[in-house]
Amino acid sequence: MAPRKMSAAETKARDLGLALARIAESEGTPAAIGVDRLRQASPRLTPLAVGQMVRKQRALVEATLAERGLALIDYADQGPGRGMEFTIKQAA
């Protein structure tokens, strides 16, 4: 049986996880990553898309980070215009 293709939402969630991993690896862990830094790394990830990916595809984002030996410790969304922040650290 052939592996199933990922949906567009799953692909974007994986992109989010990979972008978070790249930033955390370059800045060192624990890393506090805001949405502005995330958008610099991957302009496709708009704040609206990021929020949706975390709510709907959080397990996939966490699995992508785990593949790189990282873990999502905290995610805070202050609402529109106030910002988002991810806290990433090395997986235990």
Side-chain angles (χ1 to χ4, degrees):
M1 187 170 168
R4 81 171 183 85
K5 287 189 170 190
M6 291 173 63
S7 70
E10 290 169 327
T11 300
K12 202 165 224 183
R14 183 146 174 85
D15 290 348
L16 172 60
L18 290 171
L20 288 168
R22 282 191 307 271
I23 294 167
E25 289 167 350
S26 70
E27 293 181 358
T29 54
I33 302 167
V35 73
D36 292 334
R37 178 67 180 102
L38 189 58
R39 295 240 15 230
Q40 288 174 349
S42 183
R44 282 186 46 210
L45 297 171
T46 64
L48 178 61
V50 169
Q52 288 176 343
M53 292 308 101
V54 173
R55 283 190 301 281
K56 295 180 180 180
Q57 302 288 338
R58 187 174 184 137
L60 184 55
V61 172
E62 290 176 340
T64 302
L65 287 167
E67 290 173 6
R68 306 281 287 260
L70 300 169
L72 176 61
I73 300 306
D74 190 30
Y75 167 71
D77 187 347
Q78 310 280 328
R82 295 190 184 135
M84 301 174 198
E85 187 171 274
F86 295 86
T87 304
I88 309 292
K89 74 170 196 164
Q90 291 292 324

